[in-house]
């Protein structure tokens, strides 16, 4: 039978059936209520971060799992979706091409930073950064690709980057979007 709005059973038969089902009820003698508000709140643990590395050191990031055939993408939240789409499709005019083949990590890092500074001065925004796939590296691990991803993610001048289209080097190259110099 339906109940009324005050949640009372609608008939005596329902009430009797409920009481039979529940059985005998014992009233608790202790009516104290426990409030847990007086417990102290946990104190936050202060995290310590390693100091920023100098300009000549390799920045360690979680890019150890990047493979040579893996597509890479990063975009700052301020970049418009239309611009990101153009970058991913390679529908941009490349202002400068940087080829890192034959360089070690330190040389490549220095070369990338210098090229980015130079392009900012020239008001050039789009770069093609060729790092290679790293298939001839130790353990076939893409050393320069990982370096490029780390450097570009941590560089305030870089707004976005994406793996290039096959015609421009595929996963062995990156399209890079730089911010405008103010």
């Amino acid at each position: 039978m339906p109940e009324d709005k005050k949640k009372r059973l609608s008939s005596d038969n329902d009430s009797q059936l409920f009481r039979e089902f529940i059985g005998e009820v014992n009233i608790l003698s202790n009516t104290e209520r426990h409030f847990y508000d007086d417990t102290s709140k946990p104190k936050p643990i202060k995290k310590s971060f390693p100091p920023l590395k100098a300009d000549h050191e390799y920045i360690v990031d979680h890019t150890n799992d990047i493979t040579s055939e893996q597509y890479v993408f990063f975009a700052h939240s301020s970049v418009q979706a239309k611009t990101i789409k153009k970058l991913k499709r390679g529908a941009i005019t490349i202002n400068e091409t940087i080829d890192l083949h034959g360089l070690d990590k330190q040389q490549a890092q220095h070369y990338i930073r210098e090229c980015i500074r130079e392009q900012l001065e020239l008001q050039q925004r789009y770069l093609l950064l060729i790092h290679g796939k790293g298939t001839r590296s130790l353990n076939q691990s893409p050393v320069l690709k990982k370096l490029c991803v780390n450097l570009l993610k941590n560089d305030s001048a870089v707004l976005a980057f994406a793996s290039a289209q096959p015609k421009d080097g595929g996963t062995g190259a990156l399209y890079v979007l730089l911010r405008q110099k103010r």
Side-chain angles (χ1 to χ4, degrees):
M1 297 209 127
E3 298 178 359
D4 64 5
K5 291 183 180 180
K6 293 184 180 178
K7 301 291 182 189
R8 290 181 291 213
L9 296 175
S10 58
S11 74
D12 289 334
N13 289 340
D14 287 341
S15 297
Q16 185 179 0
L17 182 63
F18 177 76
R19 287 191 181 102
E20 286 175 15
F21 183 75
I22 295 297
E24 199 171 313
V25 176
N26 296 328
I27 298 174
L28 296 175
S29 61
N30 187 356
T31 57
E32 288 182 36
R33 294 186 182 194
H34 295 284
F35 294 101
Y36 297 102
D37 291 338
D38 18 324
T39 59
S40 62
K41 294 182 180 175
K43 301 209 186 276
I45 300 170
K46 186 173 183 175
K47 293 182 180 180
S48 60
F49 296 100
L52 291 175
K53 305 264 180 181
D55 205 30
H56 63 281
E57 294 184 44
Y58 178 66
I59 301 166
V60 179
D61 197 2
H62 301 287
T63 56
N64 292 335
D65 54 346
I66 293 178
T67 63
S68 59
E69 294 297 325
Q70 185 176 356
Y71 180 87
V72 216
F73 170 74
F74 166 80
H76 191 271
S77 60
S78 64
V79 182
Q80 294 179 350
K82 183 179 176 182
T83 306
I84 291 172
K85 193 174 184 180
K86 282 176 57 178
L87 186 73
K88 285 181 174 181
R89 286 185 304 172
I92 55 173
T93 303
I94 296 170
N95 303 119
E96 182 70 28
T97 301
I98 303 170
D99 193 347
L100 303 177
H101 283 101
L103 301 178
D104 65 18
K105 281 198 273 189
Q106 286 182 334
Q107 292 170 333
Q109 183 174 8
H110 177 71
Y111 189 56
I112 292 169
R113 289 197 170 143
E114 288 303 312
C115 287
I116 288 174
R117 283 191 200 118
E118 182 180 301
Q119 294 307 306
L120 284 173
E121 290 296 321
L122 296 171
Q123 298 289 323
Q124 306 291 332
R125 297 194 67 200
Y126 293 103
L127 305 174
L128 176 63
L129 180 60
I130 303 170
H131 48 70
K133 293 188 179 185
T135 54
R136 288 187 241 157
S137 299
L138 184 63
N139 299 330
Q140 293 190 342
S141 176
V143 176
L144 292 179
K145 183 175 186 174
K146 292 175 186 179
L147 172 78
C148 290
V149 170
N150 277 334
L151 283 176
L152 297 175
K153 271 187 179 179
N154 292 300
D155 194 329
S156 61
V158 177
L159 292 178
F161 61 85
S163 289
Q165 292 293 314
K167 66 179 176 122
D168 291 323
T171 57
L174 294 170
Y175 297 126
V176 181
L177 170 64
L178 301 177
R179 65 174 166 77
Q180 291 177 332
K181 186 179 177 188
R182 295 177 189 192

